[in-house]
Amino acid sequence: MFYHVGLFGQPGSSKSTVGLSFPGVEQNVFGSSEELTAANFSQRSDILKPIKLDWMDFLLPEERVKFFKEETSEQEMDLLKRSGIARMVKKYRRYILQTKEDLKAGKRPELKTLFLDNATPFLDYYRDWMDFYYETKFRTKEGNYDSIKASIEYAVQALDFIELFNSLECHTVMSFHVKMTVDEETAAKVDFMNDSKKGIKYPKEFNPLVTGSLKYQLAGKFDFAFFLQTEENPGLPNKYIAKLEADAANIGIAKGRIQPFEKGGRIELPKGTFFDLLDGAVKKKFAGNQVSK
């Protein structure tokens, strides 16, 4: 049985640690230095060499040198960056397709888990890739950019990629940053402003930090969508908590196709062994179950 897992939480909520607890894991890094977390697993021999993708590595030599010349305009630098990002995403898409074929053919027995860390910057890059290669598709007859059409197409393209990623014949994990649906200043006023008598309702919950309506569809693309958070207690070590049930207060993205945990609203994370916790709970859930014929 393969698990397809989404990890949602703020920075520092142990998303990378949870992802790296999976067996035979290859971490594909977009963004900052998530690959450094692997140092906490020095005793493990099955953590594969990470793949870190940086758009500057996809510039041609003559393009790269332009970034250091005073005469290069900001507009040209922006276009060069977009081309680097587009090539990076293009290559990564093909890497996933090749990995899918290799796994089917049994060519990569060492790869048990593919971990995309972090999907928030990756999906920003994905939008840039789409705009770069399909820009003419979103131009009106008058030459204007149709942002509504582009946003709809982006959601379709991004969900197609996530479905491709989760179709790999191995465990798959994606991490995402989250944010409140309202900013901090507004959040302080939300409870005061909510007025059911007047039909006013301001949602106050965490959502994936991605563009557009895509944020409302992500949790349904995984077998398990865990919301991770940190509990701080003065004088005591931090506790790392996972939720696999929605929280009426402010968590709406925690859900699973099955609930293997007795207390799905509060799962205390063991240090570095989350996969064993999940795998054990799922196997216990299905122990003795037989499929009717």
Side-chain angles (χ1 to χ4, degrees):
M1 178 185 294
F2 300 131
Y3 303 135
H4 307 300
V5 177
L7 304 173
F8 301 85
Q10 295 178 311
S13 57
S14 76
K15 297 186 296 298
S16 295
T17 298
V18 167
L20 287 169
S21 73
F22 279 65
V25 57
E26 178 187 278
Q27 187 183 23
N28 298 165
V29 178
F30 291 87
S32 56
S33 303
E34 281 87 352
E35 72 278 7
L36 297 179
T37 306
N40 295 322
F41 296 88
S42 58
Q43 74 283 6
R44 292 260 304 275
S45 60
D46 65 328
I47 294 182
L48 308 179
K49 183 178 179 180
I51 296 177
K52 182 161 185 173
L53 293 108
D54 185 330
W55 60 265
M56 286 199 73
D57 294 335
F58 293 84
L59 295 173
L60 301 175
E62 59 269 26
E63 294 173 330
R64 180 187 290 269
V65 74
K66 289 184 179 181
F67 276 84
F68 314 113
K69 293 183 176 180
E70 289 293 333
E71 61 268 25
T72 306
S73 68
E74 295 301 315
Q75 291 83 358
E76 185 177 4
M77 289 176 68
D78 183 60
L79 289 172
L80 288 170
K81 179 179 179 180
R82 288 182 62 207
S83 65
I85 287 172
R87 292 170 193 154
M88 175 181 71
V89 173
K90 179 180 178 181
K91 183 169 183 178
Y92 187 66
R93 280 165 48 88
R94 282 158 175 71
Y95 175 71
I96 296 301
L97 288 165
Q98 184 64 60
T99 300
K100 184 179 177 73
E101 290 301 304
D102 288 346
L103 288 169
K104 278 187 176 182
K107 293 181 179 179
R108 296 198 61 185
E110 78 287 357
L111 180 62
K112 308 297 183 186
T113 306
L114 202 63
F115 176 25
L116 197 165
D117 192 17
N118 186 291
T120 288
F122 171 74
L123 289 173
D124 286 339
Y125 292 145
Y126 206 84
R127 177 63 185 262
D128 290 337
W129 161 82
M130 189 193 74
D131 285 344
F132 186 86
Y133 284 111
Y134 297 96
E135 182 179 9
T136 57
K137 184 177 181 179
F138 308 122
R139 292 290 173 186
T140 65
K141 292 180 180 179
E142 295 76 24
N144 298 318
Y145 181 76
D146 189 337
S147 60
I148 296 176
K149 183 178 180 180
S151 295
I152 294 172
E153 180 69 14
Y154 163 68
V156 171
Q157 292 269 8
L159 289 172
D160 281 350
F161 175 83
I162 292 171
E163 289 176 0
L164 168 65
F165 189 87
N166 284 336
S167 73
L168 298 177
E169 293 183 7
C170 65
H171 302 301
T172 56
V173 184
M174 280 191 184
S175 63
F176 299 84
H177 293 314
V178 298
K179 67 172 293 185
M180 291 293 288
T181 50
V182 290
D183 57 50
E184 292 184 7
E185 181 179 355
T186 307
K189 305 174 184 177
V190 165
D191 292 331
F192 174 75
M193 295 168 68
N194 283 344
D195 189 342
S196 57
K197 293 180 181 179
K198 295 180 180 179
I200 300 173
K201 182 67 175 177
Y202 296 87
K204 183 183 177 182
E205 65 178 15
F206 285 102
N207 275 318
L209 182 54
V210 298
T211 302
S213 62
L214 180 62
K215 64 174 65 71
Y216 303 113
Q217 303 174 67
L218 283 177
K221 294 299 178 182
F222 300 93
D223 299 334
F224 302 98
F226 290 95
F227 179 83
L228 308 180
Q229 63 184 145
T230 306
E231 288 187 355
E232 298 180 1
N233 298 290
L236 297 173
N238 290 345
K239 286 186 177 181
Y240 296 93
I241 308 298
K243 292 175 179 287
L244 196 57
E245 290 178 353
D247 186 320
N250 57 16
I251 309 301
I253 51 177
K255 59 190 71 174
R257 300 196 184 281
I258 61 170
Q259 179 51 267
F261 298 99
E262 292 183 5
K263 297 181 179 180
R266 181 185 170 82
I267 306 162
E268 292 198 18
L269 300 180
K271 187 174 182 179
T273 58
F274 174 82
F275 173 80
D276 294 336
L277 179 71
L278 173 61
D279 191 46
V282 171
K283 288 177 178 176
K284 182 178 179 181
K285 180 81 173 182
F286 285 103
N289 288 359
Q290 294 183 352
V291 179
S292 58
K293 297 182 179 179

